[in-house]
Amino acid sequence: MEFVSIDLWAANLEPVVPDLQVWLAALEMRVAQTVARGGHMLVLPEFACAQWLSFAPADMAEADTLEWLFECGEVALDAIAAMSAKHGVSILAGTIPFLTEPVDGVPTYFNRAWLITPDGQRHSQDKLSLTPLEAQGAGGITVHGESINVFNWNGLRVAMIICLDSEFTDLWSRLGTLDLDLVIIPAKTDMITGYNRVFSCARARAIELQTVVCVLGAVGVPFGFALTDTVVGGASVFLPCDVGVSLDGIHAAIAPQTAAMMTDHVLAAVDIPVGACRRLRNGHAEAEVCPALWDAGHLIVNDPASPKLVA
């Protein structure tokens, strides 16, 4: 593909939803809008499923939250797969807890992103690094993933990176060797500082890897108070900052949205130039610089504070 069009839904998680079917119906309306715009994919943010908590059993213990979301997710993913096939659009369903091996007999869960395609494929990526709340076992025990999954989507090499994972340079050093056409980052950031970290890192990685990086975050939290909640969302599509592709490296963006704004926006990123980025990255078009190909392994560090090596 030379161009791809992707819709990024900065979903508002605060409105109450009465049941899963109503939530799925709202999602299908968004999918239909993506089809009408000629889009190839609709992307939801990390933990978009948290909105399901508005119809969770009133007596559910907090420790059972991940288990309940996982069970709802198994139903939702089948419905989303049918939706994708019906409309011919791929759907990245945000992240949903996924049951994995128990630890000391206690169930544990991945924070797993799912991309579902019209031909029935389900591509997944587990979050590789945990936030403090996840590490503390909020709602159940979350464990981190152990692998980077690269997959083919419409002839493009694609990877998904989840929220906090976008901030780690060593991970991106690995990604830089994989000739990726597209990196998608579903996120959920509690404050403007987290938003700025994730989105700023995403922009830098698009420059470094000479590829397309799509990033989006949810707005608000379930059972929240919009006037006081700090959760900030938004959406952006970043490109290499090169005269052959983009002068500022921003293909499309919406400004950060606070919960108090009560927004629920979709960023329609049309005709993202994945082909031009691929040619830059692979030396088939003149690039101003190729930062991801530079290796610092030959450098010697001169630091007075470092211990001297004695022969």
Side-chain angles (χ1 to χ4, degrees):
M1 297 180 75
E2 275 294 302
F3 299 93
V4 65
S5 295
I6 298 176
D7 281 2
L8 304 168
W9 181 11
N12 190 332
L13 304 184
E14 303 229 349
V16 172
V17 180
D19 56 47
L20 184 59
Q21 293 308 311
V22 170
W23 186 89
L24 288 167
L27 173 60
E28 187 157 19
M29 289 179 60
R30 298 288 187 180
V31 172
Q33 292 169 356
T34 299
V35 173
R37 286 193 283 261
H40 302 100
M41 183 193 298
L42 172 66
V43 183
L44 279 66
E46 180 186 22
F47 270 119
C49 67
Q51 196 173 16
W52 303 345
L53 293 173
S54 58
F55 55 82
D59 59 350
M60 184 177 72
E62 182 181 359
D64 297 332
T65 300
L66 297 185
E67 178 184 5
W68 186 83
L69 288 173
F70 163 71
E71 292 172 352
C72 289
E74 294 299 279
V75 177
L77 286 170
D78 287 342
I80 292 170
M83 202 181 299
S84 175
K86 173 183 173 181
H87 292 279
V89 169
S90 297
I91 303 171
L92 200 166
T95 69
I96 302 171
F98 186 79
L99 183 65
T100 184
E101 297 298 321
V103 174
D104 296 330
V106 179
T108 66
Y109 299 85
F110 290 125
N111 183 1
R112 177 169 289 185
W114 291 99
L115 175 62
I116 298 174
T117 62
D119 61 1
Q121 295 188 65
R122 299 188 186 189
H123 304 289
S124 67
Q125 176 63 52
D126 297 324
K127 193 171 186 178
L128 302 174
S129 53
L130 304 182
T131 65
L133 277 178
E134 288 172 320
Q136 292 162 15
I141 299 177
T142 302
V143 293
H144 60 79
E146 297 285 354
S147 63
I148 301 167
N149 300 325
V150 179
F151 54 91
N152 185 289
W153 175 74
N154 288 353
L156 305 178
R157 289 176 56 79
V158 181
M160 297 181 287
I161 298 299
I162 301 169
C163 198
L164 181 60
D165 296 342
S166 66
E167 300 181 31
F168 299 111
T169 54
D170 201 32
L171 171 61
W172 287 93
S173 295
R174 297 287 300 277
L175 296 177
T177 67
L178 301 177
D179 190 25
L180 298 172
D181 293 297
L182 177 64
V183 180
I184 307 173
I185 306 173
K188 182 177 178 295
T189 53
D190 289 342
M191 294 187 292
I192 189 63
T193 47
Y195 169 93
N196 283 328
R197 287 196 305 271
V198 171
F199 278 65
S200 297
C201 287
R203 187 176 184 183
R205 306 316 182 191
I207 295 171
E208 182 183 10
L209 272 62
Q210 295 179 295
T211 193
V212 176
V213 178
C214 300
V215 56
L216 81 157
V219 177
V221 293
F223 312 117
F225 299 92
L227 293 180
T228 57
D229 287 342
T230 59
V231 175
V232 179
S236 295
V237 176
F238 298 118
L239 304 177
C241 192
D242 191 287
V243 69
V245 177
S246 172
L247 299 184
D248 62 2
I250 303 174
H251 181 77
I254 55 175
Q257 311 287 308
T258 67
M261 298 166 81
M262 291 301 290
T263 54
D264 197 56
H265 294 320
V266 174
L267 173 65
V270 179
D271 292 337
I272 304 169
V274 289
C277 295
R278 185 186 311 114
R279 286 188 289 276
L280 279 177
R281 187 172 61 252
N282 290 298
H284 301 308
E286 183 176 355
E288 296 174 46
V289 291
C290 299
L293 300 180
W294 196 78
D295 186 344
H298 64 287
L299 299 180
I300 298 172
V301 176
N302 296 313
D303 182 355
S306 298
K308 303 296 184 184
L309 295 178
V310 179

